[in-house]
């Protein structure tokens, strides 16, 4: 299992303006993006990266899923308002600059970054957040207003591991209903491979980059091999050449290839969920 790395909390901001709304769903503050038609094909729940439900990139992603796929998209606050402040990305930019002044300031940038990052690690540990995630999906599956809709989960970085495990056979309600019908993950973090991949029993799609410290190329091939051996399991593994951790959410707007891969990963998710809904 790779620890969370600098790529988990670095990247770029989107310039887009989110068009959804905030509300409370099953006890959690939630950003909601609704399909243009008003008639959703299904529900997508985004389990986000370390920047959480308020991060503009995550909200714009929810909007795009809703618009492109005619989905009802929920982006809940699974972190109880302890997500990493996105301003840490600017701190990291300064930290990695060169020159005598930049070198002198590194210790101050590092201290500032630690005030952002370490509280997140403590407050979002599995023993705290796993019950929150399970309860939300259990309530969503059981609610009379949504029980008739298919449920998909899209996980990124921190949320990627959560979605992988939501695809296990034992993640069900008290009445035996699957918490989700289908999963999608992009650049998941903290995975123990092969142990976290072997129990997968729900359809799953993965978007993985060849320059991702969290899931390096040998581990990508191991994931692919494990899933291919499950002849009854519908799955896909799409590899993005040269893509780093975070590419599907926080891609470089100055990189044409980076922007293309971010859109391709978005379209991969929409096509995957559309196949099942």
């Amino acid at each position: 299992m790779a620890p969370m790395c600098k790529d988990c909390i670095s990247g770029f901001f989107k310039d887009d303006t989110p068009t959804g709304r905030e509300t409370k769903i099953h006890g959690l503050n939630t950003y909601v993006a609704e399909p243009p038609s008003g008639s959703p094909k299904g529900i997508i729940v985004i389990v986000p990266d370390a920047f959480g439900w308020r991060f503009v990139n995550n909200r714009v992603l929810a909007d795009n899923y809703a618009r492109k796929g005619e989905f009802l998209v929920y982006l809940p606050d699974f972190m109880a308002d302890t997500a990493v402040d996105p301003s840490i990305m600017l701190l990291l930019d300064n930290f990695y600059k060169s020159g005598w002044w930049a070198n002198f300031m590194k210790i101050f940038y590092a201290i500032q970054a630690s005030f952002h990052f370490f509280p997140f690690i403590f407050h979002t540990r599995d023993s705290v957040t796993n019950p929150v995630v399970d309860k939300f999906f259990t309530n969503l599956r059981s609610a009379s207003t949504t029980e008739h809709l298919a449920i998909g989960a899209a996980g990124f970085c921190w949320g990627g591991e959560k979605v992988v495990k939501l695809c296990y056979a034992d993640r069900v309600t008290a009445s035996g209903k699957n918490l989700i019908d289908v999963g999608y993950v992009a650049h998941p973090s903290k995975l123990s491979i092969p142990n976290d991949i072997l129990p997968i029993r729900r359809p799953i799609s993965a978007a993985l980059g060849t320059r991702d410290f969290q899931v390096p190329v040998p581990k990508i091939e191991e994931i692919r091999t494990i899933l291919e051996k499950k002849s009854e399991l519908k799955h896909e593994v799409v590899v993005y050449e040269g893509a780093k951790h975070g590419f599907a959410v926080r891609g470089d707007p100055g990189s044409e290839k980076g922007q293309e891969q971010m859109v391709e990963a978005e379209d991969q998710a929409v096509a995957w969920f559309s196949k099942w809904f």
Side-chain angles (χ1 to χ4, degrees):
M1 178 188 298
M4 293 190 75
C5 60
K6 71 177 183 66
D7 287 338
C8 292
I9 51 174
S10 62
F12 299 86
F13 294 87
K14 284 182 176 290
D15 293 329
D16 308 64
T17 300
T19 57
R21 59 185 174 87
E22 294 181 9
T23 188
K24 185 160 286 192
I25 296 176
H26 301 307
L28 298 184
N29 290 322
T30 303
Y31 178 80
V32 179
E34 299 181 86
S37 68
S39 300
K41 296 178 180 177
I43 300 174
I44 306 298
V45 180
I46 294 178
V47 190
D49 58 15
F51 297 113
W53 81 295
R54 294 185 187 276
F55 184 38
V56 62
N57 294 32
N58 291 330
R59 293 188 170 198
V60 170
L61 186 65
D63 292 341
N64 291 346
Y65 282 178
R67 175 176 53 83
K68 290 182 176 181
E70 289 290 339
F71 308 132
L72 176 60
V73 185
Y74 292 156
L75 172 58
D77 180 16
F78 292 117
M79 304 171 185
D81 215 21
T82 61
V84 176
D85 189 321
S87 66
I88 197 173
M89 292 193 288
L90 303 177
L91 289 176
L92 287 178
D93 285 344
N94 290 327
F95 183 86
Y96 288 103
K97 288 179 179 177
S98 58
W100 72 269
W101 177 250
N103 290 334
F104 173 75
M105 291 295 293
K106 284 186 188 296
I107 183 64
F108 298 101
Y109 296 141
I111 291 171
Q112 283 182 286
S114 69
F115 278 112
H116 289 286
F117 194 51
F118 290 115
F120 164 79
I121 293 295
F122 177 77
H123 291 292
T124 62
R125 60 196 188 278
D126 287 347
S127 61
V128 174
T129 53
N130 283 352
V132 176
V133 171
D134 280 1
K135 183 179 180 182
F136 183 88
F137 280 95
T138 297
N139 289 336
L140 189 63
R141 177 62 85 188
S142 305
S144 59
T145 54
T146 54
E147 63 179 353
H148 64 291
L149 291 171
I151 298 174
F156 303 84
C157 188
W158 178 87
E161 181 218 14
K162 305 289 189 191
V163 171
V164 164
K165 293 179 178 179
L166 282 168
C167 291
Y168 291 178
D170 63 352
R171 302 302 284 277
V172 297
T173 67
S175 62
K177 294 181 180 179
N178 299 340
L179 293 187
I180 67 170
D181 297 298
V182 57
Y184 165 86
V185 296
H187 41 81
S189 63
K190 301 194 305 172
L191 283 179
S192 177
I193 303 168
N195 293 342
D196 287 344
I197 306 301
L198 288 168
I200 291 175
R201 294 294 183 274
R202 310 270 180 265
I204 190 167
S205 173
L208 306 171
T210 59
R211 294 178 60 198
D212 187 347
F213 173 79
Q214 290 285 338
V215 188
V217 171
K219 291 298 182 182
I220 292 176
E221 294 309 314
E222 191 172 356
I223 291 171
R224 194 197 301 273
T225 299
I226 292 169
L227 295 179
E228 286 178 349
K229 287 181 178 178
K230 297 175 180 287
S231 58
E232 78 291 351
L233 177 67
K234 302 299 183 182
H235 69 277
E236 66 177 10
V237 176
V238 180
V239 179
Y240 292 79
E241 188 64 37
K244 298 195 300 184
H245 190 75
F247 76 92
V249 179
R250 306 185 302 276
D252 183 355
S255 166
E256 183 177 347
K257 183 177 181 180
Q259 287 298 294
E260 287 176 355
Q261 290 180 326
M262 187 161 57
V263 173
E264 287 170 5
E266 183 179 291
D267 290 342
Q268 176 188 337
V270 171
W272 180 251
F273 289 124
S274 296
K275 180 178 180 179
W276 297 99
F277 288 2

